Structure formats: structure tokens, C-alpha cells
């Protein structure tokens, strides 16, 4: 049965100053990808670098990772940087598909404009205006399934819940100058994360407007748990909007089908969190057959020695199986 998977590779990079080196990561990451046996694979945090003698960037690290795997022959789509013209240096999105990619869009502020937010100045000074923009685009592809049916896949990597920079907010060395500065930065970060989730939700609504029975999957690193705002916004559950007539437009978080003890993709010591998700439309959940989170040997962020990095990703891959016949 066909499988859809998502995996944050965590700074996949082949540069000489990457730590750990790509050569150390390949023997760990490649078997993790093969184990997924995915037909559609959504990847986050794929870094790029310039080709020798050219300004064009290429995903050299991803090419090396896929060598010798079935994914090397898959159709591929990648996101663009903030300029919308070429790959970014860091944290690109990629979708690999066994089925043909019929259309691809890298969206950033296509449906939601940047926000101008006025906040009090540092230490009670004059108010300051900040432009709230998404750190990364989202990636949408339309795949041609057998029988000429389309599968709509969105790949997301929302901003982490870490305070965004504010003017005069940090001291030399990186420490925040005050709780008021940190709070303003944290508020801006929340707007970035929630705003991009809104843009993704509006894209899903446009797909369902065109075809109420559309097969839609929203995958990726939301940097948010199941009941946090970005996930709730994307799901648009009846329990939130209280209109049963809109239930066919709800997205279902497939992790709900897992036991609570297995429902995590990130590990911080004793804290287990599900930041990575696969959400699907009603038409697609009707074809759902199973889901797995490969978190058995997940790297514990609290166990890492300061200054060192694990060749593993700190995110567990998630794979869901469907009957698409």
C-alpha cells in the first residue's frame, strides 16, 4: 500500500564546517529513509550551497543521501528562498514522489500579507514597528495518482517557538537584556508561526473549494503540539468552530490513531513532544490504513554533550499508509 512520510533531517549539509560531517550522518540517515518505504517523502531542513564558479545553489547533500536508494529516481520538488528566485542556503523543503509531479508551488505571503506590528520600545521608549514575515515558504505539489486522480501534498516547517530579534533586545554575547524584550520577541515569533499556519489553512480551503473530495495531506514540522494554535488552526475541527456543516473541511491528525505512549517525535529528557504531523482531508482519511513514528532510538537533546551534535536527527520520521486503489 502507498505510504506518505515526513522527516526533518535537521540541517542536512555537506559543507566542510558542518558538524557532524555528512559522511558521519549518511550511515544513520539513509537506513532511516529506506525503512520508511515511502512513495511520497516530505523533507525539512535540507541545506544548499553554491555550485563551484556559479551563483546557482544545489542540494549536494541531499543528492549524496539519496544515492543508491529508490528515492534517487523519484520526481522532486523543492522550495525557494525568501526572494522566490532560488534555493535558500539553509532549511529548504523537498518533496520526493514515486508519482509524477503535475504542479509545484513555493508559497510565502501569497495568501496572507506580511504584518506591520507596533510594539512598545525598549525600556518604555517610543513605539517601534516590526514587519512580521515568514522565515520560510511552504511547498505544495499536485501528484498524479493512477486513474488520473490528484493527491495534494503540502510540506511545512513552521517557525520554532523561540523569540524573534527585537531592536536592542540582546546584550553582547547573546543574553536577552530584559524580560520585556524577550516577551516582545516571543510574541513576534508566535505571530510568524501562527500566520504561516493560517496561510497553509487558506490554501487547503482553496483546494477543497475546487474539489470537496480532494485528497489532501499536510505534512511537516509544525513546531507545535496537537492542541497548540498552529495545529488547531490547520485542522479547523468542529469542536473549535462549532459548525457541524463544516466538518467535511476538517483535517484529521493521524497521530490520534497511535497509543499516547508512542505519540512523540522529539525527546527532551523526560519531555516527549509531537512537533511533526501528518494531517489529511476526510477523503484521504477514508483510505487511511496505519501510521508509525520511528522514535525507538530517537536522539535525546538533553543527553548531548555541549558543543557536540548527533549524526541522527532530533526529529523522528513519521509514515502513514493508505489504500489509494
Amino acid at each position: 500500500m502507498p505510504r506518505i512520510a515526513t522527516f526533518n533531517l535537521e540541517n542536512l549539509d555537506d559543507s566542510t564546517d558542518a558538524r557532524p560531517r555528512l559522511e558521519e550522518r549518511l550511515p544513520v540517515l539513509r537506513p532511516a529513509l529506506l525503512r520508511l518505504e515511502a512513495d511520497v517523502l516530505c523533507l525539512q531542513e535540507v541545506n544548499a550551497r553554491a555550485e563551484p564558479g556559479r551563483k546557482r545553489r544545489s542540494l549536494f547533500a541531499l543528492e549524496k543521501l539519496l544515492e543508491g536508494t529508490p528515492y534517487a529516481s523519484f520526481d522532486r520538488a523543492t522550495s525557494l528562498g525568501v526572494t522566490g528566485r532560488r534555493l535558500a542556503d539553509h532549511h529548504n523543503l523537498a518533496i520526493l514522489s514515486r508519482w509524477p509531479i503535475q504542479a509545484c508551488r513555493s508559497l510565502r505571503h501569497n495568501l496572507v500579507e506580511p504584518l506591520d506590528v507596533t510594539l512598545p520600545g525598549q525600556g518604555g521608549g517610543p513605539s517601534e514597528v516590526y514587519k512580521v514575515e515568514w522565515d520560510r515558504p511552504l511547498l505544495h505539489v499536485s501528484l498524479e495518482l493512477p486513474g488520473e486522480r490528484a493527491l495534494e501534498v503540502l510540506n511545512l516547517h513552521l517557525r520554532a517557538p523561540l523569540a524573534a530579534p527585537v531592536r536592542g533586545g540582546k546584550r553582547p554575547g547573546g543574553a536577552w537584556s530584559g524580560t520585556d524584550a524577550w516577551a516582545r520577541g516571543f510574541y513576534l515569533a508566535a505571530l510568524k508561526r501562527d500566520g504561516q499556519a493560517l496561510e497553509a489553512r487558506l490554501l487547503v480551503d482553496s483546494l477543497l473549494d475546487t474539489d470537496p473530495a480532494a485528497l489532501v495531506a499536510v505534512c511537516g514540522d509544525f513546531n507545535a503540539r496537537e492542541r497548540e494554535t498552529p495545529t488547531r488552526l490547520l485542522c479547523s475541527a468542529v469542536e473549535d468552530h462549532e459548525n457541524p456543516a463544516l466538518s467535511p473541511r476538517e483535517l484529521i491528525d493521524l497521530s490520534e490513531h497511535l497509543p499516547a505512549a508512542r505519540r512523540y517525535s522529539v525527546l527532551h529528557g523526560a519531555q516527549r513532544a509531537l512537533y511533526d504531523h501528518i494531517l489529511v482531508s476526510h477523503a484521504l482519511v477514508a483510505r487511511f490504513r496505519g501510521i508509525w513514528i520511528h522514535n525507538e532510538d530517537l536522539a535525546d537533546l538533553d543527553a548531548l554533550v555541549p558543543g557536540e551534535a548527533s549524526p541522527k536527527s532530533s526529529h523522528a520520521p513519521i509514515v502513514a499508509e493508505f489504500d489509494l486503489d
Side-chain angles (χ1 to χ4, degrees):
M1 289 186 180
R3 291 178 158 210
I4 301 173
T6 182
F7 191 13
N8 183 334
L9 296 170
E10 197 170 30
N11 284 312
L12 183 71
D13 200 327
D14 71 335
S15 61
T16 56
D17 58 350
R19 293 293 181 273
R21 300 291 300 274
L22 181 64
E23 289 72 20
E24 301 174 65
R25 303 198 68 193
L26 292 180
V28 176
L29 294 179
R30 193 175 285 144
L33 292 184
L34 291 172
R35 181 186 175 193
L36 293 171
E37 297 182 321
D39 298 277
V40 179
L41 179 57
C42 296
L43 300 173
Q44 301 88 43
E45 293 201 25
V46 180
N47 293 351
R49 62 178 173 85
E51 295 182 2
R54 302 178 63 183
K55 293 183 178 180
R56 182 175 179 268
R57 296 183 180 95
S58 294
L59 302 174
F60 292 107
L62 181 61
E63 296 288 353
K64 292 179 182 177
L65 176 61
L66 301 181
E67 281 179 4
T69 74
Y71 304 115
S73 63
F74 279 23
D75 272 16
R76 185 184 309 172
T78 53
S79 61
L80 301 174
V82 295
T83 64
R85 294 193 295 269
R86 59 185 182 180
L87 291 165
D89 289 334
H90 302 283
H91 290 193
N92 295 286
L93 304 170
I95 298 177
L96 313 178
S97 173
R98 183 183 304 278
W99 300 300
I101 295 176
Q102 297 296 95
C104 170
R105 291 189 288 175
S106 181
L107 293 88
R108 181 175 178 270
H109 294 297
N110 294 67
L111 303 175
V112 177
E113 293 290 332
L115 309 174
D116 286 332
V117 178
T118 302
L119 296 177
Q122 180 77 0
S127 296
E128 299 174 327
V129 177
Y130 292 87
K131 185 174 288 294
V132 176
E133 299 177 299
W134 320 153
D135 297 328
R136 294 170 286 270
L138 64 87
L139 183 61
H140 167 224
V141 299
S142 297
L143 307 179
E144 182 184 356
L145 299 178
E148 300 184 356
R149 189 76 194 273
L151 173 63
E152 310 291 345
V153 179
L154 279 66
N155 188 1
L156 302 181
H157 184 191
L158 303 182
R159 181 184 173 88
L162 300 172
V166 296
R167 300 178 190 97
K170 287 194 173 184
R171 296 172 177 171
W176 284 94
S177 59
T179 52
D180 62 333
W182 173 86
R184 285 181 286 131
F186 194 72
Y187 171 69
L188 293 174
L191 291 177
K192 288 171 176 277
R193 185 179 61 160
D194 296 350
Q196 191 173 29
L198 171 62
E199 182 157 54
R201 179 65 229 189
L202 295 180
L203 175 56
V204 170
D205 282 329
S206 70
L207 296 172
L208 295 175
D209 287 340
T210 302
D211 179 7
L215 304 177
V216 182
V218 180
C219 311
D221 177 4
F222 296 3
N223 271 305
R225 294 176 171 88
E226 301 97 306
R227 294 301 298 164
E228 290 190 81
T229 300
T231 314
R232 290 175 62 184
L233 203 160
L234 284 160
C235 289
S236 294
V238 173
E239 62 192 77
D240 285 325
H241 57 67
E242 300 180 337
N243 185 349
L246 298 176
S247 62
R249 304 177 73 86
E250 179 181 4
L251 295 181
I252 309 301
D253 192 337
L254 296 181
S255 66
E256 296 174 0
H257 293 267
L258 287 168
R262 299 289 302 162
R263 205 180 300 155
Y264 65 95
S265 62
V266 176
L267 184 61
H268 289 265
Q271 297 295 320
R272 297 177 174 183
L274 183 65
Y275 286 164
D276 305 84
H277 302 268
I278 298 178
L279 315 179
V280 299
S281 62
H282 273 244
L284 190 52
V285 80
R287 301 162 182 263
F288 168 67
R289 296 296 178 266
I291 183 170
W292 299 267
I293 303 179
H294 296 169
N295 51 19
E296 301 88 350
D297 60 348
L298 188 59
D300 187 339
L301 293 177
D302 290 355
L304 295 178
V305 177
E308 295 186 5
S310 170
K312 302 177 183 178
S313 171
S314 63
H315 290 254
I318 304 177
V319 58
E321 193 169 75
F322 302 86
D323 182 356
L324 296 178
D325 291 335

